[in-house]
Structure formats: C-alpha cells, structure tokens
DNA sequence: CTGTATCCGGCTAGATACTG
DNA sequence: CAGTATCTAGCCGGATACAG
C-alpha cells in the first residue's frame, strides 16, 4: 500500500480533522470491534472485521496507532501474541459515534 | 462525474450508513456553510466552500438532496435564482457533528 | 501467529469548456 | 445565474504471494 498523502496533520477545521482520523473504509468497524471487546489479538480482530485482508488491516492499524486511536501491545512469546485496544482518546470518541449512529438509524427508517 | 456506485442505500450498520451520507470531501463543508447561513444561493454557497468547482458542487448537492440532507428551492425568475438549505434531518445532524468537532479539536491539541 | 511486498484496478473528484 | 459534458489523474484499497 502507498504512503499516506491524505491526512494533513492538524488540519484547520476540527471536524474535518476528526473525519480524516476516523474516515476510510475500515476505521469505524475496527473501532467498533475494539469497543465491544476491550482488547483483541490480531487474528481475532481480523475475524471481527468481516472481509478485511491482512494487508489492509495491518496498514490501517498502523495508521490508527500513529493517530493515537489504538494501542498495540506485543508479547515476546512464541507463537507471537499481539493485542490491540482503544486509547482513551479512542474511547472518548464513542459517544459521538453513538450519536451519529442514532441519526443514521433514523435516516435508514425513512 | 460518474454515477454513484458507492452508497448502498440502507446499509446494515447505521453508523456506516451515516458516514456514507456525510462522508466525501465536500459534504461537511457544505453542511457547515448551510448551517451557518440558513439558506444560500448557488454562487454564495460556492464562495462559502473554498476551492470547490461547479462540476463537483452541483453534483454533490444533487446527491445530498436525494439523501434528504438538503433542499433545493428554485424561483422562476430571470436571472435564475436557486436557494439551498438544510432539511430538518440535516439540522438534526449538527449536534453530533459538534460533538465530533470537539473531539477533533482535542486531538489537534496533542 | 502476525504480519509485509508488489502489483493493480476502480472510484472520487478535478480541469476545462460549454449551455439554458 | 446556475449549472452540465467530457476527459483525466491520483488516491484508496484489493489480490496474491511471501516472511519472521
């Protein structure tokens, strides 16, 4: 996958910035899975996010980690174990998302 | 511009659906402009949304109208006058967006 | 188990010109 | 004033294979 040219860090408008952080095809499903499960291993997460490939999952997680949304914790074991979870900032996001989801649901019923 | 293959109407997840409706490069700026101004003529809106072209603006507005976010009111005058405003659903969205913007602002300051 | 490398296609949106 | 037509480019994300 390419290097990210998309996300100008610290964009002027906070709302646009927020969307830059959580937009894209897989970010929301990942956040949702980690919200419902607290912490997940790589393959658990992959199974929770239906249809995502290794390529895209690992790349997306790296981005989200760099944005401060996700924590990656690696255990030095064999076989390797890596656990992902939401940062506090990631959790802070959830109420806003629930609010948006509520609106989305109302829109679906029209 | 192409016909839209992107937005599966009534997608399962309400949150994903919400993002389908308001995602994309220009939807948020347009909503914002119409929120701050109540109603705007086509060219006023264009001036409010910095950098957008006619092609993209008119196409985006058509989509947003079909999604029930925006109202287009045309007056039969010469020269032609067309005013755009938010629907009730569009206005209902604003509190969620403000909540998200607040989160985005906190993220910018880190 | 947890990823990375390479290659590639389709979609989003832009440039430019033109119209009722 | 308020758009539309046509053509194009570049990013986003996918397929597939491979690695530590």
């Amino acid at each position: 996958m390419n290097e990210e040219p998309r996300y100008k860090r610290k964009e002027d408008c906070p709302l646009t910035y927020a969307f830059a952080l959580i937009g894209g095809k897989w970010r929301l499903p990942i956040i949702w899975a980690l919200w419902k499960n607290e912490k997940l291993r790589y393959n658990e997460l992959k199974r929770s996010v239906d249809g995502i490939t290794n390529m895209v999952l690992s790349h997306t997680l790296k981005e989200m980690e760099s944005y401060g949304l996700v924590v990656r914790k690696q255990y030095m074991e064999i076989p390797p174990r890596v656990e992902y979870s939401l940062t506090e900032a990631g959790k802070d996001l959830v109420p806003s998302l629930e609010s948006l989801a509520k609106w989305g649901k109302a829109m679906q019923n029209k």
Side-chain angles (χ1 to χ4, degrees), chain A residues 39 72-83:
Chain A
K39 65 179 51 180
R72 193 190 110 114
K73 195 139 100 192
Q74 176 168 3
Y75 298 87
M76 286 308 179
E77 308 174 353
I78 294 183
R81 179 158 63 106
V82 178
E83 284 178 354

Side-chain angles (χ1 to χ4, degrees), chain A residues 96-110:
Chain A
S96 302
L97 295 183
E98 281 173 337
S99 166
L100 253 182
K102 201 171 155 189
W103 179 85
K105 185 159 199 161
M107 293 300 280
Q108 287 178 318
N109 296 332
K110 293 212 297 188

